[in-house]
Amino acid sequence: DLKSRFITNARCDAAEPWQLGSQDAATPMMQGIIDLHHDIFFFLILILVFVSRMLVRALWHFNEQTNPIPQRIVHGTTIEIIRTIFPSVIPLFIAIPSFALLYSMDGVLVDPAITIKAIGHQWYRTYEYSDYNSSDEQSLTFDSYTIPEDDPELGQSRLLEVDNRVVVPAKTHLRMIVTPADVPHSWAVPSSGVKCDAVPGRSNLTSISVQREGVYYGQCSEIRGTNHAFTPIVVEAVTLKDYADWVSNQLILQTN
């Protein structure tokens, strides 16, 4: 019915109007990015309070109306030690977790269960599930085009929905191979904390592990012309059983 159809299409992780923070994390990688952001913001608040206090004290002690005879501060050993040590210690607290996060984002740390190849075109993408290719030319490959602005269904987001989504199983380690067929592209899904550039002549590698079911939206982050906004990315995470059924149906359809 109409109600269930709307719920199916609207169940997603996408940006909301007037949203200030990040989207809800769908992967441990994105959760680590959010935690690092909060940690750095904590230090920024401390620096803001300390610098503001120093500015207010300077304005007070050197204000001609409220304090005609200003204090004469020639040398302060304590404040010089503090302003030398603290700026050196704070980057260490930021660097240690950021190095661990960068290492986890840089490569594939565990053996992936599924490998998906995303090939960027102007203005669409081709996805290839290479694990299901066989010698009899049976393969799971499809193109993904954006839904036109004048043809969305109820509950679909404008310029974010595609005709063929990338279906993946939840709580499974995935390997994404990103490469272009013509010009530079980018495969970016904010909820997953993934942004992998596609450079002509080479293949870049990244890994994701979606921890919950849902529909996650992304877009290309490389500006490459007037139709740059018409190459969205939609990743749908489902249960392992639903994923197996989807793969079977896709193989049957492409074989016929």
Side-chain angles (χ1 to χ4, degrees), residues 10 20 29 48 57 64 67 74 94 98 103 106 108 113 132 140 180 189 201-202 208 231 247:
L20 296 178
M29 188 184 305
L48 176 63
R57 283 178 58 85
E64 183 179 1
N67 196 4
V74 179
I94 298 176
S98 65
Y103 177 73
D106 186 54
V108 180
Y132 309 107
L140 179 49
V189 182
R202 62 176 298 178
I208 59 176
T231 51
V247 170

Side-chain angles (χ1 to χ4, degrees), residues 11-208:
R11 179 174 57 88
C12 63
D13 280 70
E16 299 177 357
W18 299 97
Q19 181 175 344
L20 296 178
S22 303
Q23 299 180 21
D24 293 339
T27 63
M29 188 184 305
M30 185 59 191
Q31 187 62 50
I33 294 174
I34 294 176
D35 293 340
L36 180 62
H37 170 269
H38 293 343
D39 294 341
I40 295 177
F41 202 80
F42 170 75
F43 289 108
L44 291 178
I45 294 297
L46 293 181
I47 296 173
L48 176 63
V49 172
F50 180 73
V51 174
S52 299
R53 182 179 181 277
M54 293 182 62
L55 179 60
V56 171
R57 283 178 58 85
L59 293 175
W60 170 260
H61 288 294
F62 295 93
N63 190 320
E64 183 179 1
Q65 295 179 355
T66 59
N67 196 4
I69 304 177
Q71 293 184 1
R72 303 181 63 87
I73 302 177
V74 179
H75 181 74
T77 305
T78 304
I79 190 64
E80 290 187 4
I81 293 176
I82 293 176
R83 74 181 185 185
T84 302
I85 294 179
F86 271 80
S88 303
V89 173
I90 291 178
L92 292 178
F93 284 98
I94 298 176
I96 294 174
S98 65
F99 287 159
L101 182 61
L102 287 173
Y103 177 73
S104 64
M105 296 172 61
D106 186 54
V108 180
L109 302 180
V110 297
D111 293 332
I114 300 171
T115 300
I116 303 174
K117 187 175 183 179
I119 305 173
H121 302 268
Q122 290 184 321
W123 307 92
Y124 67 98
R125 284 183 174 81
T126 299
Y127 293 98
E128 177 183 312
Y129 290 67
S130 56
D131 295 320
Y132 309 107
N133 296 347
S134 59
S135 57
D136 58 354
E137 298 184 355
Q138 183 188 44
S139 63
L140 179 49
T141 305
F142 58 86
D143 296 331
S144 180
Y145 291 86
T146 181
I147 300 295
E149 292 185 78
D150 55 352
D151 194 28
E153 297 182 1
L154 183 62
Q156 290 183 340
S157 300
R158 172 181 173 272
L159 298 183
L160 285 178
E161 192 59 65
V162 296
D163 55 355
N164 291 313
R165 296 173 173 175
V166 182
V167 180
V168 299
K171 299 181 180 180
T172 304
H173 292 283
L174 311 173
R175 174 169 52 193
M176 291 294 305
I177 300 176
V178 182
T179 187
D182 35 46
V183 298
H185 293 262
S186 180
W187 201 84
V189 182
S191 296
S192 301
V194 173
K195 180 187 179 297
C196 187
D197 292 333
V199 182
R202 62 176 298 178
S203 297
N204 288 333
L205 186 68
T206 186
S207 62
I208 59 176

